[in-house]
């Protein structure tokens, strides 16, 4: 829960008026993470303390895959209009050095806007492969490449705070753009 990238992002978004809920799941079991994500979302939806009209889901690394599964499961459900978008920090497109084992099954079926933030040197997200995969997605998808960044969003000679400032700003601008587009159409109330 206290992973520095998630702490930085939620603090930044909250300081800009966006209510954030941050949680983590220990272990690498994707199904466990998806169940935890569902439980947290059900709790938030049923909360009498917070009256949410919509939400953006996101995650880092395997958390992206769990978030993508949840967003995909909202297709053709009462929650479909509740979800506004999905943002993924360091989406693990494939295991390291295994470019033929793509993890796109959920991402390809998401019907909401997607922001992917990846490092151009991420060993789990080969740049050309991700760009080709995005052409197959029938949705509004955008990639922001952090030049020279690894899967952990580290860049030699660049401060972690500077990298997170770039990422946080990108996420905030993307969220605001989606909200503004919805507000200017009759869809958003």
């Amino acid at each position: 829960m206290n992973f520095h990238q998630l702490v930085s992002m939620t603090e930044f978004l909250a300081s800009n008026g966006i209510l954030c809920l941050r949680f983590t799941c220990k272990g690498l079991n994707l199904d466990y993470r998806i169940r935890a994500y569902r439980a947290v979302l059900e709790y938030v939806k049923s909360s009498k303390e917070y009256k949410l009209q919509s939400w953006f889901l996101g995650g880092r690394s395997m958390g992206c895959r769990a978030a993508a599964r949840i967003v995909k499961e909202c297709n053709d459900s009462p929650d479909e209009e509740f979800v506004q978008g999905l943002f993924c920090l360091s989406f693990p497109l494939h295991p390291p050095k295994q470019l033929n084992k793509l993890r796109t099954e959920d991402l390809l079926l998401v019907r909401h806007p997607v922001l992917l933030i990846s490092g151009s040197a991420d060993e789990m997200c080969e740049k050309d492969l991700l760009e080709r995969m995005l052409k197959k997605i029938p949705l509004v998808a955008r990639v922001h490449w952090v030049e020279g960044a690894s899967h952990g969003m580290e860049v030699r000679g660049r401060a972690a705070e500077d990298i997170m400032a770039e990422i946080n700003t990108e996420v905030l601008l993307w969220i605001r753009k989606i909200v503004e587009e919805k507000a200017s159409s009759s869809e958003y109330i």
Side-chain angles (χ1 to χ4, degrees):
M1 179 187 258
N2 293 319
F3 186 70
H4 80 90
Q5 292 167 338
L6 298 178
V7 170
S8 174
M9 185 177 296
T10 55
E11 287 178 353
F12 180 79
L13 293 174
S15 72
N16 281 278
I18 298 174
L19 176 66
C20 297
L21 174 63
R22 182 182 81 233
F23 66 96
T24 192
C25 298
K26 296 192 180 201
L28 296 176
N29 183 299
L30 181 61
D31 290 330
Y32 170 76
R33 288 176 182 230
I34 291 166
R35 285 192 308 272
Y37 222 121
R38 279 189 204 117
V40 169
L41 295 178
E42 287 305 315
Y43 171 77
V44 171
K45 281 179 12 186
S46 66
S47 170
K48 295 187 185 347
E49 187 175 351
Y50 302 105
K51 302 292 183 212
L52 303 180
Q53 295 177 345
S54 63
W55 56 28
F56 289 83
L57 297 157
R60 186 201 169 286
S61 195
M62 192 181 294
C64 300
R65 292 181 64 203
R69 172 83 50 91
I70 297 299
V71 171
K72 180 195 81 170
E73 288 176 357
C74 290
N75 293 348
D76 300 319
S77 81
D79 288 334
E80 185 166 15
E81 292 194 24
F82 198 64
V83 175
Q84 299 301 305
L86 168 69
F87 61 91
C88 300
L89 179 61
S90 297
F91 187 85
L93 182 61
H94 53 78
K97 300 178 184 176
Q98 297 181 37
L99 304 181
N100 60 336
K101 294 186 178 183
L102 295 182
R103 299 167 170 157
T104 60
E105 60 279 355
D106 295 315
L107 195 57
L108 288 172
L109 299 174
V110 169
R111 295 183 191 162
H112 295 82
V114 175
L115 172 63
L116 294 136
I117 299 178
S118 290
S120 65
D122 186 341
E123 67 280 2
M124 296 178 73
C125 188
E126 202 276 328
K127 189 174 180 178
D128 291 336
L129 195 56
L130 180 64
E131 302 246 346
R132 283 196 311 267
M133 188 269 310
L134 288 178
K135 292 178 183 174
K136 299 176 184 178
I137 296 179
L139 53 83
V140 180
R142 182 180 180 302
V143 180
H144 176 77
W145 294 104
V146 178
E147 192 58 41
S150 66
H151 188 70
M153 287 296 165
E154 296 162 339
V155 178
R156 186 183 306 248
R158 191 165 172 208
E161 295 81 20
D162 292 341
I163 295 167
M164 285 313 302
E166 175 184 339
I167 291 168
N168 293 342
T169 300
E170 197 65 33
V171 172
L172 178 64
L173 293 174
W174 177 77
I175 289 172
R176 285 183 174 164
K177 181 179 182 222
I178 301 295
V179 170
E180 287 171 10
E181 288 172 357
K182 295 282 185 176
S184 67
S185 73
S186 59
E187 298 174 16
Y188 192 77
I189 297 175

